[in-house]
Amino acid sequence: MEEAGACAAPWCRLRPLLPPADGRTSVGRKERPIASSNRALVKLARWLRDQRSDSGCSYAELAARVGVHATTLQRAASGQSVPSERSVRAYAVACGASVDTAMDLWRQARRGRLRMDHPGSPAEGR
């Protein structure tokens, strides 16, 4: 029996998380600042970036763990638009982070986008 929030997708069965063999603490080039009027999206993007930083892995390494393209993960953490649920879930799984937390942040970012797209809509009261 799976625990609540556990991912049942085939790409969730991963190799164990291991620190980089060469002792790196920083990976790749510096990411661009997150610029969005959707505060929940900014929070999601920051959280995703923090998880990757904590994992010590590059986007390519994370992508290999979950079978998605590195660009998909980069876009998910860019803060330019609300990423797909699948991308956020894969990102969290690849980093060994809480999928439940990732999904909560993703839902908040989606609601923020809906409020921006449709001011005064019922989604604003949720």
Side-chain angles (χ1 to χ4, degrees):
M1 178 168 229
E2 287 186 27
E3 64 181 81
C7 179
W11 42 264
C12 290
R13 297 183 233 330
L14 304 175
R15 295 172 288 212
L17 293 174
L18 299 172
D22 60 5
R24 298 175 284 172
T25 57
S26 141
V27 181
R29 67 183 123 157
K30 187 173 168 85
E31 296 195 75
R32 292 184 174 142
I34 302 166
S36 174
S37 57
N38 179 343
R39 287 180 293 196
L41 175 57
V42 171
K43 186 175 178 180
L44 170 62
R46 282 190 184 135
W47 185 85
L48 291 171
R49 289 179 179 192
D50 287 346
Q51 301 317 301
R52 184 179 78 90
S53 178
D54 291 349
S55 78
C57 293
S58 69
Y59 282 112
E61 291 165 329
L62 294 177
R65 290 180 178 175
V66 290
V68 300
H69 198 281
T71 303
T72 300
L73 300 179
Q74 289 171 320
R75 286 182 184 148
S78 73
Q80 292 180 347
S81 62
V82 178
S84 70
E85 178 182 4
R86 182 180 186 271
S87 297
V88 173
R89 186 178 298 277
Y91 201 115
V93 169
C95 293
S98 166
V99 173
D100 288 339
T101 299
M103 292 296 90
D104 287 344
L105 292 168
W106 176 76
R107 281 187 282 276
Q108 291 170 24
R110 277 200 60 196
R111 283 194 296 270
R113 184 193 73 208
L114 291 173
R115 280 193 292 274
M116 290 170 47
D117 291 347
H118 307 286
S121 71
E124 212 168 321
R126 289 185 202 157

